[in-house]
């Protein structure tokens, strides 16, 4: 690890709440207990008052199975309406290791993106594990994106400017939706926006060796979440779970990826970004020297 890197005091205080002595660990909890613990923490990390937007509404996208629906929370910037010039839309998938996480836990982030980027934000409430096993979350994410593309005109969205986005496991879903859209003939995705996504392992990296314990996202927590989402350990080899295992990266949408400096996934994120660039995909890679999960910690980490 870069010897010049130093965890800022705000991140250190947040980390003490997540990974300090006598702090309960999600990897030792049941899924229900982990949801209660992490969802309460995420709610406490939302900005108060919430960033102001023009409108927020709940929608129901057609799901991947007959008769099923996928809830979507749509954020609209102030001074816009569905009859005005169509806006770009960001289809967003929240974090949570496929087990926990809610629309509320990333509400501040979605509001900021909507307000500052002047875009529609569609936050997708995909199914969680272990009640819904792989590939349920992935198929929900893809189905919601297809529905948004099909109904872009009604939503006031520009079908030529649909981005997929997500943080942590939600970033993995965004990567997967972009690949599924490429391989299944649509919809057209213009951009991937990713924050510290799970991309799989390229080996025993420095960040994994040095940061897989004591920095919130631990090796145990990653194994715990995969154990609840996957039907069988062999599914860990699937590129939908580990995008680094995808043979063909050409033809994917341009990608922005911001990782965390104190994140065991940091080096794998950089390797994935480099591979996309080598495949001819326009790629921008950034690093913020804080901890994993910083985008749902906006009330505690000013840098985020």
């Amino acid at each position: 690890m870069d010897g010049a890197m130093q965890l800022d005091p705000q991140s250190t205080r947040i980390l003490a709440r997540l990974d300090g002595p006598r702090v309960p660990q999600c990897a030792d909890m049941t899924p229900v207990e982990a949801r209660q613990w992490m969802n309460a923490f995420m709610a406490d990390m939302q900005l108060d008052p919430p960033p102001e937007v023009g409108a927020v509404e709940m929608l129901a996208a057609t799901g991947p199975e007959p008769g099923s629906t996928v809830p979507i929370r749509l954020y609209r910037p102030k001074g816009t309406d569905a009859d005005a010039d169509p806006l770009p839309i960001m289809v967003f998938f929240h974090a949570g290791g496929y087990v926990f996480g809610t629309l509320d836990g990333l509400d501040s982030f979605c509001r900021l993106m909507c307000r500052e980027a002047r875009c529609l934000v569609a936050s997708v409430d995909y199914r969680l594990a272990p009640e819904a096993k792989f590939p349920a979350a992935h198929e929900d994410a893809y189905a919601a994106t297809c529905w948004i593309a099909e109904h872009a005109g009604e939503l006031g969205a520009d079908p030529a400017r649909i981005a997929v986005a997500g943080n942590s496991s939600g970033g993995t879903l965004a990567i997967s939706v972009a690949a599924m859209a490429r391989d299944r003939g649509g919809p057209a995705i213009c951009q991937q926006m990713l924050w510290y996504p799970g991309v799989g392992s390229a080996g025993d990296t420095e960040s994994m060796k040095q940061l897989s314990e004591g920095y919130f996202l631990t090796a145990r927590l990653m194994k715990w979440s995969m154990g609840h989402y996957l039907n069988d350990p062999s599914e860990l080899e699937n590129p939908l779970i580990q995008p680094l295992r995808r043979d063909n990266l050409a033809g994917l949408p341009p990608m922005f990826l911001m990782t965390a400096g104190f994140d065991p996934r940091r080096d794998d994120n950089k390797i994935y970004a480099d591979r996309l660039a080598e495949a001819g995909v326009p790629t921008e890679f950034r690093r913020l020297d804080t901890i994993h999960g910083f985008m749902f910690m906006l009330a505690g980490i000013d840098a985020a």
Side-chain angles (χ1 to χ4, degrees), residues 259-276:
T259 196
F262 291 83
D263 188 328
R265 291 176 173 167
R266 183 196 65 207
D267 294 346
D268 286 324
N269 281 181
K270 180 63 166 63
I271 291 167
Y272 184 69
D274 288 345
R275 288 188 182 176
L276 253 69

Side-chain angles (χ1 to χ4, degrees), residues 65-178:
E65 298 165 0
S68 67
T69 59
V70 182
I72 293 173
R73 182 183 289 173
L74 182 69
Y75 300 82
R76 190 178 301 280
K78 293 182 70 173
T80 63
D81 59 67
D83 297 323
D85 291 337
L87 295 173
I89 185 166
M90 184 177 83
V91 186
F92 180 76
F93 311 108
H94 66 74
Y98 308 108
V99 178
F100 50 82
T102 66
L103 300 184
D104 290 342
L106 273 298
D107 180 68
S108 290
F109 171 78
C110 290
R111 286 172 172 271
L112 281 176
M113 290 297 293
C114 173
R115 187 183 74 184
E116 301 300 326
R118 299 288 297 168
C119 70
L120 298 169
V121 176
S123 188
V124 178
D125 194 11
Y126 57 88
R127 288 171 291 170
L128 298 178
E131 295 84 353
K133 294 280 193 175
F134 175 76
H138 288 73
E139 293 296 345
D140 280 1
Y142 178 70
T145 305
C146 290
W147 184 88
I148 287 167
E150 292 167 4
H151 294 81
E154 303 164 35
L155 301 175
D158 183 349
R161 291 186 291 170
I162 299 173
V164 290
N167 62 331
S168 193
S169 55
T172 313
L173 291 176
I175 292 171
S176 297
V177 168

